[in-house]
Amino acid sequence: MPVLMLSLLGPVHACAQAPPDRVEEQYGIAAGYYERGEYVEAIQAFRQLIQSHPDSAEAAMSHFVLGESLLQTRDHRAAYPAYQIFLQRVPDHPHAKRTTFRLAECAFHLDWQEQAVQLFERFIERYPNDQLNEFALNYLGEV
């Protein structure tokens, strides 16, 4: 099943030579890697930001985009906890819906069938009119 791409990072800053000290600059650099499809670099940059500024708002969002970057490299095992942390930190964020779907998708690809079924069913129940329900139902048909 193809991976759905997202563009949700906002403005992208130019890349710097030395690691920036400010969390906003770090996020801009990491987001730039993601927007350019440089997922390995994005993964490294988002992980560094999370480690350097774990309690920042940028770190919370970084967990989501880290998950997206990992998903693009097909590393579902590493993406799953990134999405979990994002939902724990900001459960009411506008990306919570997509994150719930992504968790189910990761569980499916990891052959965690019971978990995948529960998560896809939870997604459909919480978001009955979402366009991703078609994909969720397709996944459920394959479990």
Side-chain angles (χ1 to χ4, degrees):
M1 199 159 263
V3 176
L4 302 171
M5 286 292 298
L6 303 172
S7 179
L8 23 99
L9 300 175
V12 176
H13 304 282
C15 208
Q17 294 296 325
D21 293 328
R22 293 184 32 205
V23 66
E24 298 89 2
E25 291 175 27
Q26 280 186 306
Y27 186 84
I29 290 169
Y33 287 134
Y34 177 81
E35 287 290 331
R36 290 188 302 275
E38 299 172 14
Y39 302 117
V40 172
E41 293 81 1
I43 291 165
Q44 291 173 325
F46 283 118
R47 283 180 171 158
Q48 182 179 1
L49 184 152
I50 291 165
Q51 183 176 2
S52 300
H53 307 280
D55 298 323
S56 68
E58 289 84 359
M61 187 63 192
S62 292
H63 285 287
F64 175 77
V65 190
L66 173 61
E68 293 292 283
S69 299
L70 289 161
L71 201 64
Q72 293 302 321
T73 65
R74 307 262 190 256
D75 190 348
H76 299 96
R77 188 169 305 280
Y80 192 89
Y83 290 129
Q84 280 184 313
I85 293 168
F86 175 76
L87 278 179
Q88 289 168 357
R89 294 220 24 211
V90 284
D92 297 325
H93 191 279
H95 296 319
K97 175 173 40 174
R98 181 158 314 262
T99 304
T100 302
F101 181 84
R102 292 297 202 205
L103 280 170
E105 197 172 36
C106 286
F108 175 86
H109 288 291
L110 290 167
D111 263 347
W112 299 346
Q113 293 182 355
E114 190 173 316
Q115 179 116 11
V117 168
Q118 290 174 356
L119 289 166
F120 280 124
E121 287 177 348
R122 181 183 313 155
F123 179 85
I124 292 168
E125 181 181 313
R126 285 186 185 165
Y127 311 106
N129 299 317
D130 193 271
Q131 63 187 8
L132 289 175
N133 281 338
E134 180 181 340
F135 293 100
L137 290 169
N138 286 338
Y139 277 119
L140 284 170
E142 293 182 35
V143 175

